[in-house]
mmCIF file of all heavy atoms in Angstrom:
data_model
loop_
_atom_site.group_PDB
_atom_site.id
_atom_site.type_symbol
_atom_site.label_atom_id
_atom_site.label_comp_id
_atom_site.label_asym_id
_atom_site.label_seq_id
_atom_site.Cartn_x
_atom_site.Cartn_y
_atom_site.Cartn_z
ATOM 1 N N GLY A 232 -77.198 130.617 -155.730
ATOM 2 C CA GLY A 232 -76.102 130.038 -155.000
ATOM 3 C C GLY A 232 -76.534 128.983 -153.992
ATOM 4 O O GLY A 232 -75.942 128.820 -153.008
ATOM 5 N N GLY A 233 -77.645 128.270 -154.244
ATOM 6 C CA GLY A 233 -78.102 127.291 -153.397
ATOM 7 C C GLY A 233 -79.140 127.822 -152.285
ATOM 8 O O GLY A 233 -79.508 127.056 -151.469
ATOM 9 N N ALA A 234 -79.561 129.106 -152.444
ATOM 10 C CA ALA A 234 -80.449 129.701 -151.499
ATOM 11 C C ALA A 234 -81.880 129.125 -151.579
ATOM 12 O O ALA A 234 -82.610 129.114 -150.587
ATOM 13 C CB ALA A 234 -80.386 131.251 -151.597
ATOM 14 N N VAL A 235 -82.182 128.757 -152.817
ATOM 15 C CA VAL A 235 -83.468 128.190 -153.128
ATOM 16 C C VAL A 235 -83.252 126.895 -153.866
ATOM 17 O O VAL A 235 -82.525 126.881 -154.864
ATOM 18 C CB VAL A 235 -84.391 129.133 -153.910
ATOM 19 C CG1 VAL A 235 -85.618 128.466 -154.336
ATOM 20 C CG2 VAL A 235 -84.671 130.466 -153.073
ATOM 21 N N THR A 236 -83.908 125.782 -153.397
ATOM 22 C CA THR A 236 -83.901 124.559 -154.176
ATOM 23 C C THR A 236 -85.329 124.174 -154.487
ATOM 24 O O THR A 236 -86.226 124.126 -153.690
ATOM 25 C CB THR A 236 -83.240 123.429 -153.304
ATOM 26 O OG1 THR A 236 -81.930 123.903 -152.956
ATOM 27 C CG2 THR A 236 -83.117 122.166 -154.029
ATOM 28 N N VAL A 237 -85.535 123.806 -155.823
ATOM 29 C CA VAL A 237 -86.866 123.409 -156.307
ATOM 30 C C VAL A 237 -86.785 121.865 -156.705
ATOM 31 O O VAL A 237 -85.841 121.514 -157.319
ATOM 32 C CB VAL A 237 -87.231 124.231 -157.498
ATOM 33 C CG1 VAL A 237 -88.524 123.647 -158.079
ATOM 34 C CG2 VAL A 237 -87.397 125.687 -157.137
ATOM 35 N N LYS A 238 -87.731 121.191 -156.213
ATOM 36 C CA LYS A 238 -87.873 119.767 -156.672
ATOM 37 C C LYS A 238 -89.159 119.707 -157.519
ATOM 38 O O LYS A 238 -90.265 120.197 -157.157
ATOM 39 C CB LYS A 238 -88.015 118.795 -155.507
ATOM 40 C CG LYS A 238 -87.938 117.338 -155.967
ATOM 41 C CD LYS A 238 -88.054 116.424 -154.732
ATOM 42 C CE LYS A 238 -86.751 115.718 -154.501
ATOM 43 N NZ LYS A 238 -86.857 114.731 -153.414
ATOM 44 N N ILE A 239 -88.933 119.282 -158.779
ATOM 45 C CA ILE A 239 -89.999 119.256 -159.709
ATOM 46 C C ILE A 239 -90.150 117.867 -160.443
ATOM 47 O O ILE A 239 -89.161 117.138 -160.578
ATOM 48 C CB ILE A 239 -89.810 120.322 -160.827
ATOM 49 C CG1 ILE A 239 -90.970 120.550 -161.782
ATOM 50 C CG2 ILE A 239 -88.490 120.092 -161.622
ATOM 51 C CD1 ILE A 239 -90.876 121.708 -162.685
ATOM 52 N N SER A 240 -91.384 117.466 -160.776
ATOM 53 C CA SER A 240 -91.577 116.240 -161.391
ATOM 54 C C SER A 240 -91.450 116.306 -162.938
ATOM 55 O O SER A 240 -91.415 117.438 -163.447
ATOM 56 C CB SER A 240 -93.003 115.693 -161.113
ATOM 57 O OG SER A 240 -94.039 116.465 -161.851
ATOM 58 N N GLY A 241 -91.328 115.272 -163.526
ATOM 59 C CA GLY A 241 -91.295 115.217 -164.999
ATOM 60 C C GLY A 241 -92.607 115.818 -165.655
ATOM 61 O O GLY A 241 -92.611 116.081 -166.905
ATOM 62 N N LYS A 242 -93.672 115.865 -164.824
ATOM 63 C CA LYS A 242 -94.826 116.504 -165.372
ATOM 64 C C LYS A 242 -94.935 117.975 -165.006
ATOM 65 O O LYS A 242 -95.974 118.655 -165.172
ATOM 66 C CB LYS A 242 -96.145 115.860 -164.675
ATOM 67 C CG LYS A 242 -96.318 114.347 -165.125
ATOM 68 C CD LYS A 242 -97.479 113.755 -164.509
ATOM 69 C CE LYS A 242 -97.828 112.402 -165.041
ATOM 70 N NZ LYS A 242 -99.012 111.826 -164.509
ATOM 71 N N LYS A 243 -93.767 118.523 -164.610
ATOM 72 C CA LYS A 243 -93.677 119.992 -164.365
ATOM 73 C C LYS A 243 -94.452 120.399 -163.135
ATOM 74 O O LYS A 243 -95.033 121.538 -163.128
ATOM 75 C CB LYS A 243 -93.966 120.863 -165.643
ATOM 76 C CG LYS A 243 -93.137 120.516 -166.712
ATOM 77 C CD LYS A 243 -93.525 121.401 -167.942
ATOM 78 C CE LYS A 243 -93.079 120.720 -169.158
ATOM 79 N NZ LYS A 243 -93.783 121.266 -170.353
ATOM 80 N N GLN A 244 -94.751 119.498 -162.248
ATOM 81 C CA GLN A 244 -95.346 119.845 -160.981
ATOM 82 C C GLN A 244 -94.259 120.121 -159.895
ATOM 83 O O GLN A 244 -93.418 119.280 -159.636
ATOM 84 C CB GLN A 244 -96.305 118.736 -160.567
ATOM 85 C CG GLN A 244 -97.397 118.544 -161.489
ATOM 86 C CD GLN A 244 -98.280 117.229 -161.194
ATOM 87 O OE1 GLN A 244 -97.744 116.356 -160.661
ATOM 88 N NE2 GLN A 244 -99.513 117.406 -161.521
ATOM 89 N N ILE A 245 -94.316 121.213 -159.203
ATOM 90 C CA ILE A 245 -93.446 121.517 -158.127
ATOM 91 C C ILE A 245 -93.766 120.552 -156.944
ATOM 92 O O ILE A 245 -94.876 120.538 -156.457
ATOM 93 C CB ILE A 245 -93.590 123.017 -157.687
ATOM 94 C CG1 ILE A 245 -93.380 123.864 -158.901
ATOM 95 C CG2 ILE A 245 -92.610 123.233 -156.553
ATOM 96 C CD1 ILE A 245 -91.979 123.881 -159.545
ATOM 97 N N LEU A 246 -92.731 119.799 -156.504
ATOM 98 C CA LEU A 246 -92.885 118.869 -155.508
ATOM 99 C C LEU A 246 -92.499 119.437 -154.137
ATOM 100 O O LEU A 246 -93.164 119.181 -153.060
ATOM 101 C CB LEU A 246 -92.034 117.590 -155.743
ATOM 102 C CG LEU A 246 -92.469 116.816 -157.051
ATOM 103 C CD1 LEU A 246 -91.478 115.768 -157.282
ATOM 104 C CD2 LEU A 246 -93.853 116.384 -157.037
ATOM 105 N N SER A 247 -91.465 120.315 -154.204
ATOM 106 C CA SER A 247 -91.019 120.966 -152.900
ATOM 107 C C SER A 247 -90.260 122.224 -153.244
ATOM 108 O O SER A 247 -89.710 122.269 -154.421
ATOM 109 C CB SER A 247 -90.238 120.093 -152.025
ATOM 110 O OG SER A 247 -89.050 119.722 -152.609
ATOM 111 N N LEU A 248 -90.214 123.106 -152.348
ATOM 112 C CA LEU A 248 -89.427 124.380 -152.554
ATOM 113 C C LEU A 248 -88.794 124.666 -151.272
ATOM 114 O O LEU A 248 -89.444 124.938 -150.183
ATOM 115 C CB LEU A 248 -90.455 125.503 -152.870
ATOM 116 C CG LEU A 248 -89.903 126.852 -153.267
ATOM 117 C CD1 LEU A 248 -89.095 126.805 -154.465
ATOM 118 C CD2 LEU A 248 -91.053 127.824 -153.378
ATOM 119 N N ASP A 249 -87.476 124.540 -151.147
ATOM 120 C CA ASP A 249 -86.669 124.836 -149.951
ATOM 121 C C ASP A 249 -86.064 126.176 -150.060
ATOM 122 O O ASP A 249 -85.422 126.516 -151.051
ATOM 123 C CB ASP A 249 -85.689 123.735 -149.732
ATOM 124 C CG ASP A 249 -86.329 122.385 -149.444
ATOM 125 O OD1 ASP A 249 -87.357 122.338 -148.697
ATOM 126 O OD2 ASP A 249 -85.796 121.385 -149.947
ATOM 127 N N ILE A 250 -86.197 126.981 -148.991
ATOM 128 C CA ILE A 250 -85.597 128.297 -148.904
ATOM 129 C C ILE A 250 -84.633 128.350 -147.764
ATOM 130 O O ILE A 250 -85.001 128.100 -146.634
ATOM 131 C CB ILE A 250 -86.713 129.359 -148.799
ATOM 132 C CG1 ILE A 250 -87.710 129.254 -149.985
ATOM 133 C CG2 ILE A 250 -86.123 130.815 -148.763
ATOM 134 C CD1 ILE A 250 -88.941 130.100 -149.731
ATOM 135 N N ALA A 251 -83.451 128.769 -147.988
ATOM 136 C CA ALA A 251 -82.468 128.884 -146.883
ATOM 137 C C ALA A 251 -82.870 130.094 -146.064
ATOM 138 O O ALA A 251 -83.226 131.191 -146.598
ATOM 139 C CB ALA A 251 -81.100 129.153 -147.531
ATOM 140 N N PRO A 252 -82.906 129.944 -144.694
ATOM 141 C CA PRO A 252 -83.335 130.995 -143.821
ATOM 142 C C PRO A 252 -82.549 132.335 -144.069
ATOM 143 O O PRO A 252 -83.209 133.423 -143.856
ATOM 144 C CB PRO A 252 -83.145 130.469 -142.457
ATOM 145 C CG PRO A 252 -82.833 129.004 -142.536
ATOM 146 C CD PRO A 252 -82.433 128.724 -144.007
ATOM 147 N N GLU A 253 -81.384 132.377 -144.402
ATOM 148 C CA GLU A 253 -80.582 133.510 -144.575
ATOM 149 C C GLU A 253 -81.064 134.429 -145.700
ATOM 150 O O GLU A 253 -80.674 135.610 -145.785
ATOM 151 C CB GLU A 253 -79.075 133.263 -144.652
ATOM 152 C CG GLU A 253 -78.627 132.475 -145.865
ATOM 153 C CD GLU A 253 -78.585 130.985 -145.576
ATOM 154 O OE1 GLU A 253 -79.104 130.504 -144.507
ATOM 155 O OE2 GLU A 253 -78.088 130.162 -146.455
ATOM 156 N N VAL A 254 -81.862 133.878 -146.698
ATOM 157 C CA VAL A 254 -82.358 134.746 -147.727
ATOM 158 C C VAL A 254 -83.707 135.320 -147.431
ATOM 159 O O VAL A 254 -84.210 136.084 -148.303
ATOM 160 C CB VAL A 254 -82.370 134.053 -149.116
ATOM 161 C CG1 VAL A 254 -80.905 133.624 -149.495
ATOM 162 C CG2 VAL A 254 -83.245 132.841 -149.130
ATOM 163 N N VAL A 255 -84.299 134.969 -146.391
ATOM 164 C CA VAL A 255 -85.602 135.490 -145.907
ATOM 165 C C VAL A 255 -85.338 136.789 -145.199
ATOM 166 O O VAL A 255 -85.128 136.784 -144.003
ATOM 167 C CB VAL A 255 -86.397 134.527 -145.083
ATOM 168 C CG1 VAL A 255 -87.772 135.038 -144.770
ATOM 169 C CG2 VAL A 255 -86.479 133.202 -145.821
ATOM 170 N N ASP A 256 -85.413 137.887 -145.943
ATOM 171 C CA ASP A 256 -85.286 139.178 -145.371
ATOM 172 C C ASP A 256 -86.495 139.970 -145.532
ATOM 173 O O ASP A 256 -86.885 140.342 -146.726
ATOM 174 C CB ASP A 256 -84.014 139.856 -146.056
ATOM 175 C CG ASP A 256 -83.775 141.307 -145.495
ATOM 176 O OD1 ASP A 256 -84.628 141.786 -144.612
ATOM 177 O OD2 ASP A 256 -82.770 141.936 -145.947
ATOM 178 N N PRO A 257 -87.266 140.285 -144.448
ATOM 179 C CA PRO A 257 -88.564 140.881 -144.601
ATOM 180 C C PRO A 257 -88.384 142.334 -145.321
ATOM 181 O O PRO A 257 -89.361 142.763 -145.965
ATOM 182 C CB PRO A 257 -89.090 141.142 -143.224
ATOM 183 C CG PRO A 257 -88.190 140.375 -142.345
ATOM 184 C CD PRO A 257 -86.966 139.919 -143.066
ATOM 185 N N ASP A 258 -87.225 142.861 -145.213
ATOM 186 C CA ASP A 258 -86.994 144.218 -145.911
ATOM 187 C C ASP A 258 -86.601 144.016 -147.363
ATOM 188 O O ASP A 258 -86.330 145.088 -148.013
ATOM 189 C CB ASP A 258 -85.971 144.938 -145.144
ATOM 190 C CG ASP A 258 -86.340 145.319 -143.706
ATOM 191 O OD1 ASP A 258 -87.595 145.563 -143.571
ATOM 192 O OD2 ASP A 258 -85.475 145.338 -142.796
ATOM 193 N N ASP A 259 -86.375 142.827 -147.881
ATOM 194 C CA ASP A 259 -85.984 142.583 -149.221
ATOM 195 C C ASP A 259 -86.742 141.350 -149.870
ATOM 196 O O ASP A 259 -86.061 140.434 -150.332
ATOM 197 C CB ASP A 259 -84.458 142.433 -149.307
ATOM 198 C CG ASP A 259 -83.914 142.353 -150.680
ATOM 199 O OD1 ASP A 259 -84.684 142.777 -151.682
ATOM 200 O OD2 ASP A 259 -82.758 142.003 -151.006
ATOM 201 N N ILE A 260 -88.059 141.458 -149.889
ATOM 202 C CA ILE A 260 -88.875 140.408 -150.437
ATOM 203 C C ILE A 260 -88.609 140.266 -151.955
ATOM 204 O O ILE A 260 -88.643 139.174 -152.538
ATOM 205 C CB ILE A 260 -90.349 140.706 -150.204
ATOM 206 C CG1 ILE A 260 -90.581 140.690 -148.687
ATOM 207 C CG2 ILE A 260 -91.210 139.625 -150.854
ATOM 208 C CD1 ILE A 260 -90.315 139.373 -147.908
ATOM 209 N N GLU A 261 -88.268 141.354 -152.637
ATOM 210 C CA GLU A 261 -88.030 141.290 -154.045
ATOM 211 C C GLU A 261 -86.905 140.392 -154.464
ATOM 212 O O GLU A 261 -87.027 139.659 -155.404
ATOM 213 C CB GLU A 261 -87.708 142.811 -154.506
ATOM 214 C CG GLU A 261 -87.753 142.908 -156.043
ATOM 215 C CD GLU A 261 -87.502 144.308 -156.553
ATOM 216 O OE1 GLU A 261 -87.774 145.228 -155.812
ATOM 217 O OE2 GLU A 261 -87.118 144.449 -157.735
ATOM 218 N N THR A 262 -85.824 140.391 -153.731
ATOM 219 C CA THR A 262 -84.671 139.516 -154.016
ATOM 220 C C THR A 262 -85.160 138.073 -153.869
ATOM 221 O O THR A 262 -84.859 137.212 -154.770
ATOM 222 C CB THR A 262 -83.535 139.803 -153.160
ATOM 223 O OG1 THR A 262 -83.011 141.060 -153.426
ATOM 224 C CG2 THR A 262 -82.313 138.771 -153.397
ATOM 225 N N LEU A 263 -85.827 137.736 -152.768
ATOM 226 C CA LEU A 263 -86.300 136.384 -152.639
ATOM 227 C C LEU A 263 -87.242 135.941 -153.731
ATOM 228 O O LEU A 263 -87.069 134.856 -154.273
ATOM 229 C CB LEU A 263 -87.009 136.171 -151.321
ATOM 230 C CG LEU A 263 -87.606 134.826 -150.959
ATOM 231 C CD1 LEU A 263 -86.571 133.770 -151.001
ATOM 232 C CD2 LEU A 263 -88.282 134.847 -149.573
ATOM 233 N N SER A 264 -88.140 136.802 -154.099
ATOM 234 C CA SER A 264 -89.042 136.614 -155.190
ATOM 235 C C SER A 264 -88.365 136.346 -156.457
ATOM 236 O O SER A 264 -88.625 135.331 -157.222
ATOM 237 C CB SER A 264 -89.991 137.798 -155.362
ATOM 238 O OG SER A 264 -90.889 137.572 -156.477
ATOM 239 N N ASP A 265 -87.233 137.073 -156.687
ATOM 240 C CA ASP A 265 -86.531 136.973 -158.049
ATOM 241 C C ASP A 265 -85.840 135.539 -158.027
ATOM 242 O O ASP A 265 -85.776 134.914 -159.070
ATOM 243 C CB ASP A 265 -85.513 138.044 -158.131
ATOM 244 C CG ASP A 265 -86.034 139.438 -158.419
ATOM 245 O OD1 ASP A 265 -87.256 139.432 -158.810
ATOM 246 O OD2 ASP A 265 -85.344 140.371 -158.291
ATOM 247 N N ILE A 266 -85.257 135.167 -156.819
ATOM 248 C CA ILE A 266 -84.592 133.881 -156.735
ATOM 249 C C ILE A 266 -85.585 132.751 -156.990
ATOM 250 O O ILE A 266 -85.299 131.757 -157.636
ATOM 251 C CB ILE A 266 -83.850 133.692 -155.460
ATOM 252 C CG1 ILE A 266 -82.692 134.700 -155.387
ATOM 253 C CG2 ILE A 266 -83.267 132.309 -155.272
ATOM 254 C CD1 ILE A 266 -81.991 134.887 -154.000
ATOM 255 N N LEU A 267 -86.773 132.863 -156.404
ATOM 256 C CA LEU A 267 -87.789 131.831 -156.544
ATOM 257 C C LEU A 267 -88.241 131.731 -157.970
ATOM 258 O O LEU A 267 -88.241 130.586 -158.493
ATOM 259 C CB LEU A 267 -89.016 132.172 -155.669
ATOM 260 C CG LEU A 267 -88.893 132.040 -154.199
ATOM 261 C CD1 LEU A 267 -90.021 132.589 -153.433
ATOM 262 C CD2 LEU A 267 -88.669 130.558 -153.720
#
């Protein structure tokens, strides 16, 4: 839902990875990992 945004090149290289602060929950790393 827009919590994570990935910018990737045409060569499939990750250029940036933006994570919305509200999805960073130290007690629920698994959800963040799944979204990533």
Side-chain angles (χ1 to χ4, degrees):
V235 173
T236 302
V237 175
K238 188 180 250 185
I239 188 170
S240 75
K242 290 184 176 185
K243 300 179 203 165
Q244 296 172 327
I245 303 299
L246 303 173
S247 68
L248 185 66
D249 293 321
I250 303 169
E253 61 270 12
V254 297
V255 181
D256 179 356
D258 295 327
D259 190 12
I260 299 298
E261 188 175 341
T262 297
L263 178 57
S264 179
D265 290 345
I266 294 170
L267 290 169

